[in-house]
């Protein structure tokens, strides 16, 4: 059975519980919650029962332990997570503006997760995996990007498949070398999963249809566009499939795309048809937004089935 790998930041997140113009108004804060886009993605894969692993780095502290405990509990192989003595686990603070947009304060570059040295054990974990999932954020820290790129090369050379979620936050777009890394990853990508307009960062096309056609022509096999509360779409040589978002009460959108991605990749690797993979990923994204805390809304197969059952019967 395929074993899924991702590489990248493992963090804790502190969340403001009320909207406001600054953290002083957005009180009280709650957390710490396990977080980091690659960590949320792989936790979702683990919860669906697929063999999976993450390579990353946490501090030798309670925050690191919190993440390791959660990932292990949910079935993720964390033997490739380095625990760095004397360093702190990365963190993120998030608050919501009145219009629903988010403000993040990150402590990543100078925390344990900002680097990931090459080790023989890390290489062995890569060799044991047959699918690699790249998050754009993992390409924005030079010390992490080298390991993510190594994992891409190793898994592809071993005959595995590659999925890619650009997940590009505005503050990382000017990172030196990021553009080249994104293009190198896309050139080897089998399953591309951008959000909204992110697809236009990878093509000069003027319309979404043209952009999709160009990327399929360039060798991407499947494209999934995430559209937040407007659902999602899948494209391949066989055509287009759309799914409307499931009506839920959105409490916290952070992590929805990662849960959606983890579910889509899991069903795609199982050989599910596009509509089945899309429907389950859409349910995973919907469940994710109903929970406060980015990794709190990852789903089991039974939880997805239960939500889809109530959705279908109205
Ligand atoms: P990202 O965080 O990567 O930008 P999105 O915000 O597009 O990802 O969310 C991913 C998916 O989660 C969406 O395509 C949709 O299926 C689901 N989703 C997101 N927000 C909602 C919502 N408010 N209600 C229902 N489903 C949602």
């Amino acid at each position: 059975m395929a074993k899924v790998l991702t590489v990248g930041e493992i963090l804790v997140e502190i969340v403001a519980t009320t909207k406001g113009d600054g953290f002083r108004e957005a009180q009280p804060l709650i957390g710490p919650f396990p977080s980091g886009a690659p960590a949320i993605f792989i936790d979702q894969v683990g919860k669906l029962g697929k063999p999976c692993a993450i390579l990353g780095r946490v501090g030798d502290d309670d925050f690191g332990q919190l993440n390791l405990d959660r990932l292990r509990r949910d079935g993720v192989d964390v033997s490739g997570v380095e625990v760095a003595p004397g360093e702190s686990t990365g963190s993120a603070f998030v608050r919501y503006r009145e219009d629903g947009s988010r403000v993040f304060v990150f402590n990543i570059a100078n925390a344990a997760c900002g680097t990931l040295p090459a080790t023989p054990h890390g290489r062995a974990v890569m060799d044991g995996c047959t699918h690699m999932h790249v998050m754009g954020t993992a390409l924005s820290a030079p010390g992490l990007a080298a390991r993510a790129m190594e994992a891409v090369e190793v898994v592809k050379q071993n005959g595995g498949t590659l999925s890619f979620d650009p997940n590009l936050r505005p503050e990382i777009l000017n990172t030196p070398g990021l553009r080249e890394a994104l293009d190198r990853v896309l050139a080897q990508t089998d399953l591309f999963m951008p959000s909204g307009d992110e697809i236009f960062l990878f093509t000069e096309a003027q319309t979404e249809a043209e952009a999709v056609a160009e990327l399929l022509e360039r060798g991407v096999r499947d494209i999934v566009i995430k559209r937040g509360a407007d659902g999602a779409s899948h494209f391949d040589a066989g055509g287009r499939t759309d799914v409307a978002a499931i009506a839920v009460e959105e409490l916290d959108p952070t992590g929805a795309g990662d849960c959606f991605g983890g579910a889509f990749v899991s069903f795609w690797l199982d050989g599910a048809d596009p509509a089945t993979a899309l429907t389950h990923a859409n349910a995973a994204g919907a469940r994710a937004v109903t929970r406060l805390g980015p990794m709190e809304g990852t789903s089991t197969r039974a939880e997805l089935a239960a939500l889809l059952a109530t959705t279908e019967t109205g």
Side-chain angles (χ1 to χ4, degrees):
M1 200 202 278
K3 183 167 181 179
V4 182
L5 174 66
T6 196
V7 176
E9 68 277 11
I10 301 172
L11 312 172
V12 288
E13 189 163 309
I14 315 291
V15 184
T17 51
T18 57
K19 291 177 178 164
D21 287 337
F23 276 102
R24 194 191 303 213
E25 290 82 35
Q27 298 285 334
L29 305 176
I30 57 166
F33 293 108
S35 189
I40 300 164
F41 166 87
I42 210 71
D43 192 75
Q44 177 57 86
V45 174
K47 267 213 171 166
L48 292 174
K50 291 208 77 69
C52 58
I54 184 167
L55 292 176
R57 209 155 164 270
V58 295
D60 185 13
D61 55 19
D62 276 1
F63 288 173
Q65 203 54 51
L66 179 76
N67 272 288
L68 290 174
D69 288 349
R70 172 66 65 87
L71 292 168
R72 242 187 238 118
R73 184 200 77 182
D74 291 342
V76 180
D77 172 0
V78 291
S79 68
V81 177
E82 193 181 316
V83 180
E87 294 185 42
S88 305
T89 298
S91 57
F93 288 72
V94 60
R95 71 175 168 85
Y96 297 92
R97 298 191 186 95
E98 288 299 339
D99 67 3
S101 62
R102 283 169 278 183
V103 179
F104 285 97
V105 176
F106 288 110
N107 172 30
I108 293 180
N110 298 316
C113 63
T115 58
L116 186 60
T119 62
H121 179 66
R123 174 60 198 250
V125 172
M126 292 176 194
D127 272 322
C129 292
T130 49
H131 181 87
M132 169 68 186
H133 181 76
V134 177
M135 288 275 181
T137 45
L139 302 175
S140 66
L144 259 182
R147 287 294 77 65
M149 293 309 296
E150 183 188 350
V152 169
E153 309 297 340
V154 168
V155 169
K156 288 297 275 194
Q157 271 164 25
N158 287 346
T161 45
L162 177 65
S163 49
F164 176 29
D165 180 345
N167 194 28
L168 293 170
R169 296 188 292 264
E171 66 272 19
I172 65 174
L173 276 176
N174 294 325
T175 307
L178 179 65
R179 185 72 253 175
E180 293 72 25
L182 293 172
D183 290 341
R184 255 174 72 198
V185 170
L186 184 65
Q188 302 182 73
T189 292
D190 301 287
L191 166 59
F192 184 46
M193 313 185 76
S195 301
D197 289 342
E198 265 178 354
I199 196 166
F200 294 109
L201 294 169
F202 297 86
T203 154
E204 313 242 297
Q206 298 298 310
T207 66
E208 186 184 279
E210 286 167 10
V212 165
E214 182 190 323
L215 295 183
L216 292 176
E217 177 75 17
R218 277 159 59 183
V220 179
R221 198 180 349 139
D222 293 81
I223 299 174
V224 177
I225 300 184
K226 293 167 280 166
R227 306 187 195 277
D230 292 324
S233 308
H234 170 271
F235 306 84
D236 64 8
R240 169 179 184 151
T241 310
D242 295 296
V243 65
I246 298 172
V248 290
E249 190 189 345
E250 182 182 293
L251 253 185
D252 180 3
T254 307
D258 311 320
C259 293
F260 178 103
F264 193 93
V265 166
S266 299
F267 281 84
W268 183 82
L269 286 169
D270 285 344
D273 59 79
T276 302
L278 199 60
T279 304
H280 285 84
N282 191 48
R287 283 198 80 256
V289 304
T290 63
R291 303 289 190 287
L292 252 179
M295 203 189 279
E296 306 312 297
T298 51
S299 303
T300 62
R301 280 175 198 268
E303 286 165 339
L304 295 183
L307 176 58
L308 288 171
T310 56
T311 306
E312 274 153 21
T313 55

